[in-house]
Amino acid sequence: MSNFNESNTVEAFVHHILCGKITQTAPPQPGLSRTNRKINYVGWHYLPSQNIPRQPQEVFVETFVRDALIRLNPEIAANPNRAEEVLYRLRAIVLSVRSDGLIRANEEFTAWLRADRTMPFGPNHEHTTVRLIDFDNLENNQYILTTQYTYRAGAEERRADLVLLVNGFPIVLIEAKTPVRKAVSWVDGALQVHDDYEKNVPELFACNVFSVATEGKELRYGSIRMPIELWGPWRLDDDAPPASLAALKHTIASLLNPAIILDILNHFTLFATDKKKRRIKIICRYQQYEAVNLIVNRVLAGRPKKGLIWHFQGSGKSLLMVFAAQKMRLRSQLRNPTVIIVVDRIDLDAQISATFHASDIPNLIKAETRTELERLLRQDTRKIIITTIFKFGEADGVLNERENIIVLVDEAHRTQEGGLGIKMRAALPNAFLFGFTGTPINQRDRNTFYAFGAEEDERGYMSRYGFEESIRDGATLPLHFETRLVELHIDKDAIDQAYTELTGGLSDLDRETLAKAVSKMAVLVKVPDRITKICADIAQHYQQKVVPNGFKGMVVTYDQECCLLYKAELDKHLPPETSEIVISATGKDERFKPYQRSRDQEEKVLDRFRDANDPLKILVVTAKLLTGFDAPILQAMYLDKPLKAHTLLQAICRTNRTYGNKKTHGLVVDYLGVFDDVAQALDFDEQGFQQVVSGITALKNEFPGAVQKCLAYFPGVDRTLSGYEGLIAAQDCLPNNNVRDNFAADYSYLANLWEALSPDPMLINYETDYKWLSQVYISVQPTTGMGKLLWHALGAKTIELIHQNVRVEAVRDDLEEIVLDAELLEVVLNSPDPRKKGKEIEIQIARRLRNHISNPRFRALSERLEALKERHEQGQIHSVAFLKDLLDLAHDLVQTEKEIPPQEDEGRGKAALTELFLEVRNEQTPKMVERIVNDIDEIVRVLRFPGWQKTSAGEREVRQALRKTLFKYALHQDKELFEKAYGYIKQYY
């Protein structure tokens, strides 16, 4: 952290930005004394936690809440005792967290905060709205920042670094890590919130809008129970360099501005039901927030009447539309507007509708037919209407002249430039038109910028979020392409000629009406020997490169007949249930009849594909699913169809969705030579895209240098040494945290390359070195579990390599013997080489502590070891004193292990499983949690044996038992639930 004194904590830095005084006097802060009215531009007033009138077991500050209720509600001001009735309701929500789950409690509290709840406080007990926050006049609210906010739930007590309270409600929690080590990052703070606070003191988050984690370099925010990998950055200032103090200052001042927090609470927070019938909380990403407010402000201003939103594939355009529709419907200035969502494909219609319906957006209607759309518009319906562009195809004349109609057009680059777009504009002459695209077209005859871009927008668009930003923010992943079987690539001249004929008179909708014009191309593609070789290669590539990491694939063929041919050939190499054809089966050809599916039937097939535990691993397609299809588990696309420009871009971006922290990239395997000229293949406006699509060949070229960079940390070390000798020699080359963290960063990059390339034959020459580096990396990982950004779990292929054909020669562990044997202890202390002996015992202690990494009873011992190492490395204690302190620590470690009853970890396992199933339960499984947990506990106790976690047979048996138990309760398709439950079993049993 340049220009920042590290003795100042990040907590103090955030406090300084939010509460730094400026000269002008701010408006009076309700509830604050007159002497404290000078505040800064953000609007927070600092109040030490000891000065806040609350008990540790109270979530919100009842005194402040009562004041706000009286201040903001005339009915309560007339009878202040009514405040107690509201407080009673709010306390009940907090008490329901453990029984109903945190999400449902937070959803109900959010409804109260948004003034969506009423009480019978009016004349004759009429219900009136209860306001807890004033969203119209923000100066009427009380804004307090405090530090070390302690909350106690039973025996559990946690202290949040900073908390922001509005009218007494803790709506934002900030976890600030001090940047003393490169390895410690925002991830560690986010994990503390997600894995500790939200689980052990969930009541504290009953009224939470979002939480923030930062280490003084980068900041991320996320809503309750949001997986850490989905926590997003906030970047509304593009001028400041990322990961800098200047950028962080702008981020804090922007995101944590009361106006923005309350805007997010009121308009950018959704509670949705996912495909597994679980409630989830969704809040906006910064690009969605920015684009929605640009749209709303343009509509409020009344001009210009159009605008283009250019956001890359996978960056959340569907949700952006939901937020925009929600905010515009709620703005009283717009006088109850009609918002029309227009899509151009049935599958996109299904996707958008599903997003809106899952989010429980009120006043939503689908216009299924042209007649229905015409009736809704002529009757002046004031709702959110979802329809397809084709419903305007036969519209005659004007359907509605009203000005407060806002049309949001998805995939605006495809159909808006032709007759359909003209018809729609004629039907709604005074409507606002906003186009959404990930891949705009900038050609004379078809120009997205001309169709939607306003002249007032300097570059033709009002909001842009490109591929580079999307990857930088972790919203999507980089794409790698791999050219395969060059001898089977079709002659380039033939491709160009056939491609021209193929696309000559067709729109970009990629209809399957290619007929005679492409007969030459069809013959070239369908040569039987070619298909045989390609399918054999797909099967081999998929099994070697995709299966080990648990991902799935998609085969994109030339036409519907090719789908049949490829499926038949793939079945010779893989079990038939591995693959399935998904096409728009039309016409009379009997061969396609089995693939004529209703929308519901097709969705069931796609849900099976999304399920990691389902045997369906590969989809065979030609045009369907190349746009709008979202399946994060899809990593590899096997491409054997000529695609160009934005059509190619949209297709390959099916693979770039994030999937937990295991997926590092999307992979496109090219059998046709589409990528022979990358620049030409990606010849479209998003030039930056070409910079982040990298060929596997380029990665291969990088790999040797990455290996050498890691090996350079260990000059002169004999890498053939095993046991303590080898580990000590390696660790001596990593003498302090700074060097270890640099090694971890370089190794992480190398490990990502290995996972991407494996099992390429070129890796054979580097296998020994890579395995050695991996074992050193494991041996120096901090025992406290911190530094998750650098010190991560190894990838599947790396673990396989380490365990592959290796005789398990564990480093001798005589720690217990040394601790218990006084004679032996004397020998150890009088060792001729105390430094070496100390290193041996340090390695033993570290390995033992890693076995207990998630047990809080060992956390203090882990921190003690790290502190002891640091003092020794800095020369504060010599080797003999270091060895003595290590032996004391070893004694305490062995003693703690003995004191833990064998049942304790398993009891914690049952508690963790119970909490997990309580969180994911739905209406169908409300009473089953205890039975499910008891069933799992009983079966695992029977099956397990000492060290089962380290054997493939043990893991297989336990996994099968868990899957059978979940199947019994119809929970077997929930991949995330299965993996979490298995993780708990592995940890606690």
Side-chain angles (χ1 to χ4, degrees):
M1 273 188 61
S2 57
N3 302 322
F4 184 60
N5 183 352
E6 286 192 352
S7 65
N8 295 332
T9 63
V10 176
E11 182 183 306
F13 176 61
V14 176
H15 173 275
H16 173 72
I17 294 170
L18 295 182
C19 293
K21 303 288 189 285
I22 58 170
T23 52
Q24 80 256 29
T25 302
Q29 284 277 22
L32 302 181
S33 66
R34 290 177 176 272
T35 55
N36 285 321
R37 287 184 182 172
K38 280 177 71 179
I39 55 172
N40 77 326
Y41 60 101
V42 175
W44 297 101
H45 170 81
Y46 175 66
L47 201 58
S49 54
Q50 63 268 26
N51 293 2
I52 293 178
R54 64 177 278 273
Q55 297 300 312
Q57 63 273 18
E58 294 171 343
V59 170
F60 47 85
V61 187
E62 296 200 359
T63 307
F64 296 165
V65 174
R66 191 177 289 106
D67 290 347
L69 284 166
I70 294 168
R71 186 169 67 248
L72 304 178
N73 299 275
E75 302 84 1
I76 298 176
N79 182 358
N81 289 333
R82 287 171 171 166
E84 293 303 322
E85 295 182 49
V86 178
L87 284 166
Y88 173 77
R89 297 290 184 92
L90 300 179
R91 288 188 212 110
I93 301 172
V94 173
L95 291 170
S96 75
V97 167
R98 304 263 173 177
S99 56
D100 294 351
L102 177 54
I103 299 282
R104 290 191 183 279
N106 185 262
E107 182 174 6
E108 178 61 18
F109 217 120
T110 300
W112 279 90
L113 292 172
R114 283 172 160 174
D116 288 341
R117 294 291 179 263
T118 60
M119 293 287 282
F121 294 158
N124 301 318
H125 300 291
E126 287 177 17
H127 273 257
T128 58
T129 298
V130 175
R131 295 204 302 167
L132 302 178
I133 294 173
D134 192 335
F135 290 100
D136 298 320
N137 184 1
L138 298 187
E139 293 176 6
N140 276 339
N141 301 309
Q142 174 204 53
Y143 305 107
I144 287 177
L145 176 148
T146 190
T147 53
Q148 304 302 304
Y149 194 84
T150 302
Y151 178 71
R152 185 182 305 140
E156 298 286 353
E157 183 176 288
R158 296 294 183 274
R159 185 179 291 121
D161 289 341
L162 299 106
V163 167
L164 304 180
L165 300 105
V166 175
N167 294 345
F169 298 107
I171 63 173
V172 175
L173 181 147
I174 304 165
E175 194 60 30
K177 295 291 180 188
T178 302
V180 292
R181 281 192 63 182
K182 178 181 178 180
V184 177
S185 69
W186 68 267
V187 175
D188 297 282
L191 281 167
Q192 194 164 353
V193 173
H194 184 274
D195 291 352
D196 182 4
Y197 296 175
E198 287 181 13
K199 287 185 177 179
N200 293 310
V201 288
E203 294 87 350
L204 180 57
F205 296 86
C207 50
N208 179 272
V209 177
F210 58 81
S211 296
V212 170
T214 181
E215 83 290 62
K217 299 186 283 288
E218 195 172 353
L219 176 149
R220 297 273 173 140
Y221 69 103
S223 59
I224 52 170
R225 306 318 298 143
M226 179 183 279
I228 300 305
E229 60 270 12
L230 297 182
W231 283 43
W234 185 268
R235 307 182 203 274
L236 294 188
D237 177 17
D238 287 335
D239 296 330
S244 69
L245 204 60
L248 183 66
K249 185 175 179 180
H250 284 293
T251 296
I252 292 168
S254 170
L255 173 63
L256 301 182
N257 184 313
I260 288 183
I261 293 172
L262 295 183
D263 195 15
I264 291 173
L265 166 62
N266 208 16
H267 302 116
F268 294 90
T269 299
L270 299 172
F271 291 89
T273 304
D274 68 9
K275 289 180 180 292
K276 296 157 190 170
K277 305 286 188 234
R278 297 175 304 185
R279 293 301 277 174
I280 56 173
K281 181 176 180 178
I282 300 166
I283 58 170
C284 60
R285 290 179 176 272
Y286 74 91
Q287 73 271 14
Q288 294 164 335
Y289 181 86
E290 184 177 52
V292 166
N293 282 327
L294 287 170
I295 291 170
V296 172
N297 291 339
R298 185 160 288 189
V299 173
L300 287 171
R303 62 177 301 279
K305 301 283 284 191
K306 62 179 183 176
L308 180 64
I309 311 296
W310 176 6
H311 286 201
F312 189 68
Q313 307 292 329
S315 59
K317 288 195 294 296
S318 298
L319 276 173
L320 198 163
M321 289 188 187
V322 176
F323 291 130
Q326 176 173 264
K327 185 160 187 177
M328 286 187 287
R329 289 281 302 156
L330 290 171
R331 291 307 290 260
S332 57
Q333 302 98 310
L334 296 181
R335 308 179 318 282
N336 196 13
T338 300
V339 180
I340 305 175
I341 312 292
V342 179
V343 298
D344 73 338
R345 295 273 289 244
I346 296 298
D347 50 354
L348 285 175
D349 179 17
Q351 180 192 340
I352 295 277
S353 298
T355 304
F356 271 81
H357 282 298
S359 306
D360 298 336
I361 299 296
N363 298 308
L364 177 68
I365 190 169
K366 272 186 78 170
E368 300 278 10
T369 64
R370 177 186 60 78
T371 309
E372 192 177 353
L373 175 66
E374 195 167 328
R375 177 179 59 77
L376 289 168
L377 291 173
R378 289 195 190 280
Q379 289 178 356
D380 204 26
T381 304
R382 306 291 185 107
K383 294 187 176 181
I384 298 169
I385 302 170
I386 299 179
T387 190
T388 61
I389 183 68
F390 306 105
K391 305 288 191 305
F392 286 97
E394 297 172 45
D396 292 319
V398 177
L399 294 180
N400 197 311
E401 292 185 287
R402 197 157 34 87
E403 292 200 349
N404 65 336
I405 294 176
I406 304 109
V407 184
L408 309 178
V409 183
D410 193 26
E411 301 297 355
H413 59 279
R414 287 211 291 245
T415 47
Q416 283 297 312
E417 296 82 8
L420 294 171
I422 293 169
K423 288 264 192 182
M424 188 183 76
R425 286 162 171 77
L428 306 167
N430 297 314
F432 287 87
L433 296 174
F434 295 99
F436 294 75
T437 181
T439 50
I441 300 169
N442 193 10
Q443 297 167 357
R444 185 177 299 175
D445 55 336
R446 299 174 63 213
N447 193 317
T448 318
F449 294 95
Y450 175 75
F452 284 97
E455 289 180 14
E456 289 85 343
D457 295 326
E458 187 182 339
R459 298 181 182 176
Y461 51 82
M462 59 191 287
S463 174
R464 180 183 179 278
Y465 185 69
F467 190 43
E468 312 99 297
E469 289 89 354
S470 180
I471 287 179
R472 177 196 66 192
D473 296 342
T476 57
L477 299 170
L479 284 164
H480 299 163
F481 67 87
E482 185 172 356
T483 300
R484 302 284 285 183
L485 306 177
V486 177
E487 71 278 7
L488 295 177
H489 286 188
I490 293 167
D491 175 71
K492 195 140 183 37
D493 293 338
I495 266 204
D496 291 341
Q497 182 186 341
Y499 190 82
T500 305
E501 293 169 11
L502 176 106
T503 56
L506 293 178
S507 74
D508 188 40
L509 290 176
D510 199 9
R511 300 190 187 95
E512 296 295 329
T513 53
L514 307 179
K516 297 175 185 176
V518 294
S519 56
K520 179 179 178 184
M521 184 70 176
V523 170
L524 291 168
V525 169
K526 295 177 189 175
V527 173
D529 183 50
R530 182 177 183 276
I531 291 176
T532 300
K533 286 180 178 170
I534 284 176
C535 288
D537 191 67
I538 288 174
Q540 182 185 23
H541 183 281
Y542 169 74
Q543 287 173 307
Q544 289 183 343
K545 290 203 170 186
V546 184
V547 170
N549 288 321
F551 302 129
K552 298 195 177 188
M554 177 185 281
V555 178
V556 182
T557 71
Y558 180 76
D559 61 16
Q560 293 195 350
E561 184 186 22
C562 278
C563 288
L564 300 178
L565 297 172
Y566 281 59
K567 164 70 173 155
E569 199 61 41
L570 283 170
D571 286 351
K572 296 177 183 177
H573 303 279
L574 300 167
E577 63 271 18
T578 303
S579 59
E580 185 59 84
I581 294 171
V582 179
I583 54 176
S584 301
T586 53
K588 297 177 181 176
D589 195 324
E590 290 295 322
R591 295 177 301 168
F592 301 132
K593 285 283 167 60
Y595 306 107
Q596 288 180 348
R597 301 183 181 96
S598 68
R599 191 182 293 185
D600 285 346
Q601 289 171 327
E602 183 176 291
E603 198 52 42
K604 284 180 181 173
V605 172
L606 301 184
D607 281 343
R608 286 183 53 213
F609 181 74
R610 293 183 183 104
D611 178 6
N613 299 316
D614 195 285
L616 175 57
K617 307 293 185 188
I618 296 173
L619 295 177
V620 183
V621 306
T622 178
K624 209 168 181 61
L625 308 186
L626 295 190
T627 58
F629 175 55
D630 194 23
I633 198 169
L634 170 61
Q635 184 192 36
M637 175 175 282
Y638 299 95
L639 190 60
D640 197 31
K641 177 175 183 168
L643 300 170
K644 275 193 175 182
H646 58 279
T647 19
L648 173 64
L649 179 61
Q650 284 196 304
I652 62 180
C653 285
R654 298 310 101 209
T655 69
N656 77 340
R657 304 299 193 267
T658 58
Y659 185 67
N661 55 10
K662 295 194 300 181
K663 190 174 172 186
T664 56
H665 61 278
L667 178 62
V668 182
V669 183
D670 176 15
Y671 288 100
L672 200 59
V674 170
F675 281 96
D676 283 356
D677 181 349
V678 181
Q680 189 178 343
L682 299 173
D683 179 22
F684 97 120
D685 305 86
E686 174 71 283
Q687 292 302 315
F689 182 76
Q690 294 175 23
Q691 299 162 20
V692 285
V693 177
S694 53
I696 291 291
T697 307
L699 300 184
K700 286 183 185 179
N701 293 338
E702 283 181 47
F703 191 81
V707 173
Q708 288 309 314
K709 191 172 184 182
C710 287
L711 290 176
Y713 284 91
F714 310 99
V717 172
D718 182 356
R719 297 196 293 278
T720 61
L721 285 175
S722 61
Y724 285 127
E725 297 295 325
L727 283 180
I728 290 172
Q731 290 191 11
D732 281 347
C733 297
L734 306 172
N736 55 52
N737 284 334
N738 189 42
V739 179
R740 279 194 287 273
D741 292 344
N742 288 333
F743 167 67
D746 291 333
Y747 172 84
S748 292
Y749 183 71
L750 174 66
N752 282 341
L753 285 177
W754 179 275
E755 296 291 315
L757 294 171
S758 177
D760 194 291
M762 65 87 66
L763 296 177
I764 293 170
N765 297 329
Y766 301 95
E767 209 171 80
T768 305
D769 286 342
Y770 180 68
K771 185 157 57 180
W772 185 83
L773 287 166
S774 301
Q775 287 166 334
V776 173
Y777 176 83
I778 293 169
S779 81
V780 294
Q781 279 181 309
T783 59
T784 55
M786 66 160 195
K788 287 287 168 65
L789 206 59
L790 292 182
W791 301 101
H792 51 71
L794 299 182
K797 293 170 184 172
T798 302
I799 290 170
E800 184 187 13
L801 171 71
I802 291 172
H803 293 162
Q804 201 178 55
N805 308 319
V806 174
R807 185 165 57 85
V808 180
E809 190 180 314
V811 176
R812 188 182 73 261
D813 188 353
D814 51 8
L815 192 61
E816 204 161 341
E817 190 184 343
I818 292 172
V819 167
L820 297 176
D821 189 331
E823 227 174 275
L824 191 57
L825 197 59
E826 200 63 36
V827 172
V828 169
L829 280 172
N830 292 323
S831 164
D833 189 348
R835 188 198 67 84
K836 184 179 175 186
K837 198 66 195 174
K839 202 72 181 168
E840 278 184 25
I841 290 175
E842 179 201 316
I843 292 168
Q844 290 180 21
I845 292 171
R847 193 173 63 257
R848 291 277 276 266
L849 283 170
R850 280 188 208 104
N851 293 335
H852 306 285
I853 202 161
S854 53
N855 188 330
R857 291 188 57 167
F858 290 88
R859 193 171 296 147
L861 294 172
S862 292
E863 289 167 358
R864 200 166 126 198
L865 175 63
E866 294 298 320
L868 193 54
K869 281 164 59 179
E870 198 156 326
R871 286 173 59 215
H872 182 50
E873 286 161 6
Q874 291 172 358
Q876 293 175 19
I877 52 173
H878 52 75
S879 295
V880 174
F882 177 57
L883 180 52
K884 281 182 177 176
D885 287 346
L886 279 175
L887 287 167
D888 287 342
L889 177 54
H891 177 272
D892 293 347
L893 169 58
V894 171
Q895 199 59 38
T896 306
E897 287 178 331
K898 286 180 177 173
E899 287 169 3
I900 293 181
Q903 295 78 27
E904 182 177 304
D905 264 356
E906 289 154 20
R908 290 175 65 241
K910 279 187 81 170
L913 287 169
T914 300
E915 188 178 337
L916 173 64
F917 285 102
L918 276 173
E919 191 63 57
V920 302
R921 74 178 183 178
N922 55 45
E923 288 78 1
Q924 284 73 48
T925 60
K927 307 290 182 191
M928 295 184 189
V929 173
E930 190 176 351
R931 279 161 47 199
I932 296 170
V933 172
N934 285 338
D935 281 2
I936 293 172
D937 183 68
E938 200 174 312
I939 291 171
V940 172
R941 283 176 191 274
V942 172
L943 285 174
R944 64 174 185 176
F945 53 86
W948 67 267
Q949 299 96 329
K950 294 174 183 170
T951 69
S952 54
E955 290 200 320
R956 187 171 58 249
E957 290 284 329
V958 172
R959 278 181 172 272
Q960 284 175 353
L962 176 60
R963 195 164 282 125
K964 281 178 186 173
T965 308
L966 293 181
F967 182 79
K968 181 175 163 186
Y969 295 97
L971 295 168
H972 56 294
Q973 291 193 325
D974 190 333
K975 160 71 175 166
E976 187 184 355
L977 177 63
F978 176 85
E979 290 300 340
K980 278 189 176 175
Y982 179 70
Y984 288 149
I985 292 167
K986 196 170 180 181
Q987 177 177 325
Y988 296 119
Y989 289 83

